[in-house]
Amino acid sequence: MSKITDYNDISRSYDSVREPADACILKSLMESLTGKCVKDMDIIDIGCGTGNFSEYFLRFEPRSLALMDASEGMLSKAKEKLQSVPPSTNLSFKHAVLPNMPYEDNSFDAAMMNLVLHHLEQDPDGKSFPKIVQTFKEVLRILKPGGVLTIISVTPEQLEANWFAHLVPKNKERWHKRLLSHDQLKNCLSEAGLTLKSAYNTLTASYHPDHSNPEGPLSEAWRRSISFWGTCTEDEIKDMVQNVTRMKNEGTLQEYVDTHEKLGIYGALHISASKKEVQ
């Protein structure tokens, strides 16, 4: 269960501010690395949220699609959303808290974890990530030989590239300890027995359409859609609102955004694919 965000509460409005960006890329990675079409796959969506990514994959009628999440509220929304299921797809839902995955060994051709990793460590130090490694070991167990894990995550460099992170410097420092660099992610995967096959960065925050709204941080609904704000103190939020309001009134807010926004250089998201090698 995430200690950053109350997803049971946020589930009510999550779909209004988030989109399954880059789902088509995940599909391509899964198919190219397994040599199978989605329609011939058993897939699991780990930390599925409201099922945005699963909804995309249902278009291609996978053999089975399993959704699991630690939030009952998110799962409930996913069940409401995914009622039109292809007759050829076996759809299932499970409430589970990572690293626990209540599935049999060698069950899935592909697994996906989308913006999940930063929720796993309870007291991160930025150096070791034991809960993430444990989770990857469970993924290895439930994947079939030759199976693929795709991950969408955010690196520390990409956090720095988000203009709004600079509004709360102390919280930005906290998040640096929570996010894995590319090398740290590769090492965690390797420690768990998975082999990294592909990784790159996307250059736009397409998962959050209102990302560049200069006045976004003034809205509680806008902040609630981004986990970064969930670790801010009340005083930090109060000071941030005062500073953003001041810049808005002075006419310098857009200049602040333009100065600090660097997604086009460092990327918005890190997408990777790793494999359970056939022994």
Side-chain angles (χ1 to χ4, degrees), residues 180-223:
L180 289 81
S181 68
H182 169 80
D183 287 342
Q184 287 174 321
L185 176 61
K186 182 178 180 180
N187 290 338
C188 287
L189 289 165
S190 178
E191 184 176 346
L194 292 160
T195 304
L196 183 67
K197 293 295 187 180
S198 178
Y200 63 97
N201 298 325
T202 63
L203 298 181
T204 59
S206 52
Y207 67 98
H208 187 228
D210 205 27
H211 167 85
S212 298
N213 178 3
E215 297 181 28
L218 298 177
S219 164
E220 182 179 359
W222 190 93
R223 295 195 304 268

Side-chain angles (χ1 to χ4, degrees), residues 32-220:
S32 64
L33 290 173
T34 63
K36 298 181 178 181
C37 294
V38 165
K39 67 180 180 63
D40 297 320
M41 289 188 197
D42 298 303
I43 300 174
I44 182 169
D45 188 350
I46 302 168
C48 64
T50 61
N52 283 340
F53 283 86
S54 286
E55 184 177 36
Y56 171 83
F57 275 87
L58 277 178
R59 302 178 194 173
F60 307 97
E61 302 184 10
R63 184 165 53 203
S64 72
L65 180 57
L67 289 80
M68 65 165 283
D69 202 278
S71 166
E72 293 279 17
M74 286 294 201
L75 279 174
S76 177
K77 284 293 182 181
K79 291 175 183 178
E80 291 177 13
K81 181 189 301 182
L82 306 180
Q83 293 186 10
S84 299
V85 182
S88 58
T89 298
N90 179 19
L91 186 67
S92 63
F93 302 85
K94 281 190 179 180
H95 175 253
V97 179
L98 295 172
N100 179 46
M101 296 185 197
Y103 298 94
E104 298 293 328
D105 295 0
N106 305 315
S107 294
F108 299 100
D109 299 287
M112 53 182 160
M113 299 181 70
N114 303 314
L115 297 175
V116 172
L117 298 185
H118 56 263
H119 292 285
L120 297 185
E121 301 298 337
Q122 300 303 306
D123 188 22
D125 60 10
K127 299 177 182 179
S128 62
F129 301 88
K131 185 70 74 68
I132 290 175
V133 172
Q134 290 174 17
T135 298
F136 288 163
K137 288 180 178 179
E138 273 290 271
V139 173
L140 180 76
R141 181 184 64 79
I142 66 173
L143 281 178
K144 300 175 185 179
V148 172
L149 167 64
T150 62
I151 298 171
I152 296 180
S153 59
V154 178
T155 68
E157 296 81 8
Q158 290 168 338
L159 173 67
E160 287 284 341
N162 278 279
W163 67 272
F164 58 78
H166 297 269
L167 294 169
V168 193
K170 289 185 178 179
N171 194 46
K172 179 162 63 73
E173 292 175 8
R174 294 183 203 114
W175 271 79
H176 268 278
K177 298 178 180 179
R178 188 171 291 281
L179 301 175
L180 289 81
S181 68
H182 169 80
D183 287 342
Q184 287 174 321
L185 176 61
K186 182 178 180 180
N187 290 338
C188 287
L189 289 165
S190 178
E191 184 176 346
L194 292 160
T195 304
L196 183 67
K197 293 295 187 180
S198 178
Y200 63 97
N201 298 325
T202 63
L203 298 181
T204 59
S206 52
Y207 67 98
H208 187 228
D210 205 27
H211 167 85
S212 298
N213 178 3
E215 297 181 28
L218 298 177
S219 164
E220 182 179 359

Side-chain angles (χ1 to χ4, degrees), residues 221-235:
W222 190 93
R223 295 195 304 268
R224 281 158 56 87
S225 69
I226 305 171
S227 297
F228 173 83
W229 299 101
T231 52
C232 291
T233 67
E234 291 184 8
D235 286 342

